[in-house]
Every structure is written in C-alpha cells, then in structure tokens.
C-alpha cells in the first residue's frame, strides 16, 4: 500500500472515471479474511497461503531488508540471516506473511531471533525502529520513503529464503467485476 496505493488510485480514476474505488491497507491475513467475507473484491498480498477459495496470481518476488535507525548497526552494505541474531527485533506477529518468511529463513539457518515486540502495524514498526527500540525485517517497498528521507536505513539480507512473493488475489466463487479487472 505504501508504494502502490496512490499511483494505482490515480490510474484507476483515469481509466474508470465513473467508478468508485476504496483502498484498504492491512496485513495479508486480514485482507484474505476480507476477500472471503465479501468485503473486498481484490487484494495484493504477501506470502498468500494456498486457499481453495482464492484465485492467486504471482505479481513479483520481493527481497527483505534489515531496517535500522540511521546511525545504528554495522556499516556493511548487506547482512546475512545469521547476522540477524545480533539485533533486537520488532516484528509482525507469527500469523503475518512477513513473519512466516522471516521465521522459516531463521529456522533454516538455525538462527535464534531476539524479538522484543510483535506489532501488526507497519507504521508502528517503522516508528519503533526510528526511536531505536529495535530493528525490523521488511520489504524495501514498505520503507522506501523513510530511507530516501534519511530517517531509516535498509540493508539487503543475503538469502534466497528472505523473499516474499507478492500476489494478486480474487475470490474464486464470486464474479470479478469489469472495474476490478481494470484495476488488476
């Protein structure tokens, strides 16, 4: 949402001037529930679990980064999964798609993570990192503005496991409207 919502809304308005658009920003697990309950017609999700009630189409593979307060941590351009054990982390809860990717990569690398707090709010995670409470592990798209503004720094995590697939999802048992197809 941080990267796609505003440009997508502008393009949709130009393509469908008479149609109404409402964009919700939430974690993937919440968006899946909303699609299943009929509250949403379409969603962009991370790490979507196989769900028999969704039509899921891959969009892009996004690498994860160690997100730190400017002035903290190592000066190296990148980190490994093993390096994450050195940091106190603030992460989303375990049911979140980001967190499932992080935990699976840590298990595979046999790394114990020091998680100080779990918050299901990207803005709160970024704020806690800026305040020096801990570091986060997030895709770059979530923090690109803060990095460009010099408020946070992002170091790539060198691991094929620290990636998440971004997908589009629509409900299997409801027709997709013409406006939704244009949006997609």
């Amino acid at each position: 949402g941080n990267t796609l919502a505003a440009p997508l809304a502008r393009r949709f308005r130009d393509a469908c001037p008479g149609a109404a658009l409402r964009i919700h920003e939430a974690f993937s697990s919440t968006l899946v529930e909303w699609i299943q309950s009929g509250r949403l017609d379409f969603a962009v999700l991370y790490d979507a679990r196989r769900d028999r009630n969704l039509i899921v189409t891959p969009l892009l593979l996004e690498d994860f980064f160690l997100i730190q307060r400017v002035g903290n941590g190592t000066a190296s351009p990148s980190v490994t999964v093993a390096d994450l054990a050195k940091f106190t982390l603030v992460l989303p809860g375990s049911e979140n798609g980001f967190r499932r990717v992080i935990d699976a990569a840590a298990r595979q690398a046999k790394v114990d993570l020091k998680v100080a707090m779990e918050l299901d709010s990207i803005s709160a995670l970024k704020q806690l990192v800026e305040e020096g409470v801990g570091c986060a592990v997030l895709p770059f798209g979530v923090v690109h503005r803060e990095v460009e503004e010099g408020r946070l720094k992002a170091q790539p995590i060198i691991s094929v496991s620290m990636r998440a697939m971004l997908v589009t999802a629509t409900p299997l048992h409801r027709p997709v409207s013409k406006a939704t197809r244009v949006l997609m």
Side-chain angles (χ1 to χ4, degrees):
N2 202 25
T3 305
L4 298 176
L8 185 64
R10 284 191 299 274
R11 289 179 72 181
F12 182 78
R13 179 195 60 201
D14 294 343
C16 298
L21 175 66
R22 184 170 181 188
I23 296 178
H24 295 275
E25 187 174 352
F27 283 106
S28 294
S29 56
T30 303
L31 295 174
V32 167
E33 290 173 15
W34 290 350
I35 289 176
Q36 292 171 339
S37 70
R39 287 182 62 190
L40 291 180
D41 298 317
F42 165 77
V44 178
L45 310 169
Y46 278 103
D47 191 36
R49 292 182 175 174
R50 296 288 173 231
D51 188 306
R52 293 186 306 260
N53 298 311
L54 296 179
I55 298 171
V56 175
T57 305
L59 190 58
L60 65 95
L61 191 60
E62 193 165 24
D63 293 325
F64 279 21
F65 289 71
L66 177 66
I67 310 304
Q68 298 182 71
R69 178 182 184 173
V70 172
N72 273 15
T74 173
S76 69
S78 62
V79 295
T80 66
V81 175
D83 292 332
L84 296 179
K86 302 172 191 171
F87 299 95
T88 299
L89 300 172
V90 292
L91 298 174
S94 60
E95 69 285 346
N96 177 272
F98 291 168
R99 180 64 181 272
R100 288 193 305 269
V101 170
I102 296 163
D103 288 347
R107 272 192 308 278
Q108 183 179 4
K110 296 178 176 52
V111 172
D112 290 323
L113 301 176
K114 293 181 285 194
V115 180
M117 294 182 192
E118 295 180 334
L119 296 96
D120 289 328
S121 166
I122 294 294
S123 59
L125 288 170
K126 292 189 293 187
Q127 183 177 345
L128 289 171
V129 172
E130 280 190 67
E131 293 172 0
V133 173
C135 301
V137 176
L138 297 167
F140 186 76
V142 171
V143 297
H144 72 95
R145 280 199 182 92
E146 293 84 354
V147 170
E148 288 172 6
E149 293 167 359
R151 295 171 28 216
L152 295 175
K153 70 176 183 176
Q155 294 170 281
I157 301 170
I158 308 304
S159 168
V160 294
S161 302
M162 278 292 195
R163 294 181 169 157
M165 179 63 69
L166 195 61
V167 301
T168 60
T170 55
L172 178 63
H173 301 294
R174 282 196 324 266
V176 176
S177 70
K178 181 179 177 184
T180 301
R181 281 194 297 278
V182 169
L183 182 68
M184 292 168 58

